[in-house]
Amino acid sequence: MFNTRVKVKALLAAAPAGQEVTVMGWVRTFRNNQFIALNDGSTNQHIQIVAPLGQYDDAFLKRITTGASLKVTGNVVASLGKGQAVELKATHIEVLGDSDAEKYPLQPKKHSLEFLREIAHLRFRTNTFSAVFRVRHALAFAVHQFFHEKGFIYLNTPIITASDAEGAGEMFRVSTLPFDNPPRTPEGAVDFREDFFGKATNLTVSGQLEGELAAMALSEIYTFGPTFRAENSNTTRHLAEFWMIEPEMAFYDIEDNMNLAEEFIRYIIRYAMEHNAEDLQFLDQRLAEEEKQLPQDKRSELGLLQKLEFVLSNAFERITYTEAISILLESSHYKKKKFKYPVEWGIDLQSEHERYLVEKHFKKPVIVTGYPAAIKAFYMRMNDDGKTVAAMDILAPGIGEIVGGSQREERLDRLTARMEAMHIPAEELDWYLDTRRFGTVPHAGFGLGFERMVQFVTGMTNIRDVIPFPRTPKNASF
Ligand code: 4AD
Ligand code: MG
């Protein structure tokens, strides 16, 4: 019975020929005991329902409150009111679920994003979050479509793992051992041989190493799944649980890798612009409103849609790490001592440095290559200079690092030497080294942080507002 309903989006596009339809959704507003704005999440436009005066008694009309859910049958007619072409002249209204107006936290007025984060279970019911999550869906769909069209295989890498792909040591332990009294080795350490998997395990920080194994047979694969990092970073760009897309390609060098990443980013942006134009227009206006609160020099030069158009039509800047350091050292920003962190060859670029390069200097996305080996992961391919590796980070305006990737070290001797220098035990990664022992090939890959991408496309400032239920230090509500 319920599946005979039409969605509001389809209804708004229908010809007003008096035909009878049924819609279901949630009341946004109810005016003059007559006009109901109903929304079902298919679009930010509401269908106006007209409840003919005198047809319903007061007790019933009182139940039509913001947040209540309705099933309405009526006739599609041309609307006399402003703002919509069609409206529904109700013949039958049923309240599916009441919503106590006194207690409902979402009043029909503007709420702050901070407040909405506290009621994340209800924030889907706002125009902003409906739009964000529709765009997030479109981007996810476009990710699969892009790689599918290119013949990549979608690979599901494990979420529980005994390996630390990045050597970063910022992992969440997975264990069924009792916390208060774990089994101990004779030396007194926790004895993980007694644990569920017979060894210490964690939530994955990246599916890359497993992705490489598959790429050494399937040629081109990609992962798209949740990854976990226990870094204590309370910023607008860090989550403890985030989704990452990691393509891995045999027979690719760093140049091929950059080209693919650029094409990929453009493809998914274009997809969202074509399929979610209305939502992006809404988010464009929302951002413009938000930025009105900022001092002039803190506002973006381009609006959201202008920025996306710009990214579609301009190649990303490509520079080496060494060039990036020179640009920073020569900047008036540096000379006026405006950077908080030191700048010299060898540093890990801080977000203030990345943002200077992207927002002030180039004013467009930038791909930085050739980072010092010492600050990058063991698997990155050593360049001929013996100092830098074939790494690439893509930095985006307003976000900073959005992609991290590299050409991988395919030469067994170089790889094992690097692991030794970084104190990574070869026994633990013997399976990984097998790919270099048996038919090794040049290969490369990258990781795109999905939430950072959604931030970029929706213009949302805080990463907590582009994932339904954010996990951050001291917060795992819902
Ligand atoms: O640069 P990262 O750490 O690279 C890797 O994990 C590689 N294994 C990827 C690869 O080559 N296959 O992370 C990749 C991207 C970052 O550029 C960033 O966009 C995102 O993941 N990211 C985060 N996003 C949200 N919250 C965090 N805590 C993130 N850490 C990384
Ligand atoms: Mg990185």
Side-chain angles (χ1 to χ4, degrees):
M1 155 226 192
F2 276 5
N3 59 15
T4 57
R5 74 175 174 126
V6 298
K7 288 208 179 174
V8 170
K9 187 174 181 177
L11 179 53
L12 289 171
Q19 68 276 36
E20 183 178 87
V21 299
T22 299
V23 285
M24 295 177 212
W26 294 266
V27 175
R28 286 296 179 84
T29 58
F30 185 32
R31 290 185 294 118
N32 303 345
N33 266 350
Q34 206 183 357
F35 303 109
I36 306 166
L38 198 74
N39 185 279
D40 68 359
S42 57
T43 162
N44 267 351
Q45 312 295 328
H46 313 318
I47 180 74
Q48 168 153 292
I49 310 239
V50 185
L53 283 172
Q55 196 169 313
Y56 302 95
D57 63 26
D58 274 0
F60 182 79
L61 293 175
K62 277 207 171 67
R63 293 176 63 200
I64 303 177
T65 52
T66 300
S69 50
L70 303 184
K71 174 183 178 184
V72 181
T73 301
N75 302 98
V76 186
V77 296
S79 177
L80 299 176
K82 275 193 298 236
Q84 70 268 328
V86 300
E87 62 188 26
L88 196 64
K89 201 157 166 272
T91 50
H92 185 78
I93 301 179
E94 183 186 335
V95 178
L96 297 174
D98 290 283
S99 171
D100 186 336
E102 298 289 309
K103 295 192 181 129
Y104 188 55
L106 274 179
Q107 297 303 317
K109 64 160 200 173
K110 213 168 159 51
H111 293 291
S112 74
L113 295 174
E114 289 77 12
F115 171 73
L116 292 173
R117 237 168 266 149
E118 287 167 20
I119 52 162
H121 57 303
L122 296 173
R123 67 179 176 170
F124 301 106
R125 301 179 183 202
T126 64
N127 287 343
T128 296
F129 286 94
S130 311
V132 165
F133 291 116
R134 279 191 299 266
V135 172
R136 183 178 165 117
H137 162 77
L139 290 169
F141 190 82
V143 166
H144 289 294
Q145 185 160 297
F146 175 80
F147 287 118
H148 177 72
E149 281 172 359
K150 286 197 170 290
F152 282 54
I153 304 299
Y154 175 39
L155 189 81
N156 301 115
T157 50
I159 288 172
I160 300 175
T161 175
S163 90
D164 172 5
E166 304 295 309
E170 292 160 338
M171 301 191 294
F172 291 101
R173 167 114 321 141
V174 174
S175 173
T176 55
L177 292 178
F179 288 119
D180 43 356
N181 187 23
R184 304 244 172 220
T185 62
E187 294 76 40
V190 173
D191 189 357
F192 287 104
R193 283 173 311 180
E194 302 270 318
D195 205 347
F196 188 92
F197 295 106
K199 54 164 94 167
T201 51
N202 306 288
L203 293 178
T204 187
V205 294
S206 158
Q208 179 196 321
L209 300 192
E210 291 90 352
E212 282 186 58
L213 310 179
M216 290 303 107
L218 299 167
S219 282
E220 292 167 323
I221 64 93
Y222 70 104
T223 73
F224 186 176
T227 49
F228 307 85
R229 301 208 181 164
E231 47 196 344
N232 199 4
S233 305
N234 235 322
T235 78
T236 55
R237 304 174 311 124
H238 286 90
L239 291 166
E241 176 181 295
F242 65 99
W243 288 65
M244 184 153 56
I245 296 128
E246 294 185 277
E248 191 68 36
M249 300 75 66
F251 319 113
Y252 265 56
D253 68 8
I254 187 77
E255 208 67 28
D256 300 321
N257 203 24
M258 285 193 273
N259 293 342
L260 181 76
E262 221 181 303
E263 186 188 343
F264 170 52
I265 288 175
R266 280 210 190 90
Y267 182 98
I268 62 176
I269 292 177
R270 187 175 300 114
Y271 185 93
M273 291 180 80
E274 282 171 5
H275 293 82
N276 293 64
E278 197 181 278
D279 287 328
L280 290 175
Q281 262 151 28
F282 173 84
L283 291 165
D284 178 273
Q285 279 163 24
R286 190 208 70 82
L287 184 63
E289 284 294 318
E290 183 183 281
E291 293 208 335
K292 274 189 198 156
Q293 321 293 323
L294 298 174
Q296 194 79 43
D297 65 320
K298 290 258 157 45
R299 295 183 201 163
S300 318
E301 277 173 40
L302 300 179
L304 179 64
L305 289 171
Q306 287 174 317
K307 177 189 79 177
L308 296 176
E309 287 288 356
F310 180 89
V311 170
L312 291 189
S313 49
N314 289 278
F316 298 0
E317 195 69 36
R318 297 183 182 191
I319 59 168
T320 65
Y321 169 89
T322 304
E323 285 162 352
I325 294 292
S326 312
I327 291 168
L328 294 172
L329 287 174
E330 280 157 27
S331 68
S332 63
H333 210 76
Y334 175 78
K335 288 174 185 151
K336 289 186 196 150
K337 300 198 170 22
K338 283 198 189 157
F339 289 122
K340 201 170 132 212
Y341 292 91
V343 180
E344 60 182 345
W345 201 95
I347 59 154
D348 207 353
L349 294 180
Q350 299 295 323
S351 82
E352 58 172 353
H353 305 138
E354 296 176 342
R355 297 188 71 157
Y356 178 85
L357 291 169
V358 174
E359 286 156 32
K360 297 272 185 293
H361 191 83
F362 290 111
K363 297 180 193 281
K364 55 152 92 163
V366 177
I367 312 185
V368 183
T369 53
Y371 283 82
I375 57 168
K376 287 291 186 186
F378 74 94
Y379 51 69
M380 297 191 180
R381 192 177 196 276
M382 186 62 76
N383 287 329
D384 293 341
D385 60 12
K387 283 195 323 195
T388 62
V389 287
M392 60 156 209
D393 276 6
I394 302 185
L395 315 177
I399 310 282
E401 182 191 330
I402 195 161
V403 163
S406 64
Q407 185 172 339
R408 318 306 188 190
E409 183 57 84
E410 83 284 12
R411 300 162 294 190
L412 182 63
D413 54 339
R414 306 282 183 109
L415 186 59
T416 48
R418 194 84 201 291
M419 286 168 64
E420 225 175 281
M422 296 176 83
H423 308 293
I424 298 170
E427 320 79 80
E428 274 179 31
L429 287 179
D430 204 51
W431 47 272
Y432 181 69
L433 294 176
D434 263 359
T435 54
R436 275 59 168 179
R437 292 186 185 114
F438 308 115
T440 193
V441 298
H443 64 289
F446 62 83
L448 172 80
F450 188 54
E451 284 74 21
R452 292 192 186 171
M453 189 68 212
V454 181
Q455 274 191 283
F456 186 72
V457 175
T458 59
M460 298 302 285
T461 317
N462 195 315
I463 198 164
R464 292 165 179 80
D465 296 332
V466 297
I467 188 164
F469 302 106
R471 269 78 185 94
T472 50
K474 301 281 180 284
N475 170 44
S477 304
F478 308 104

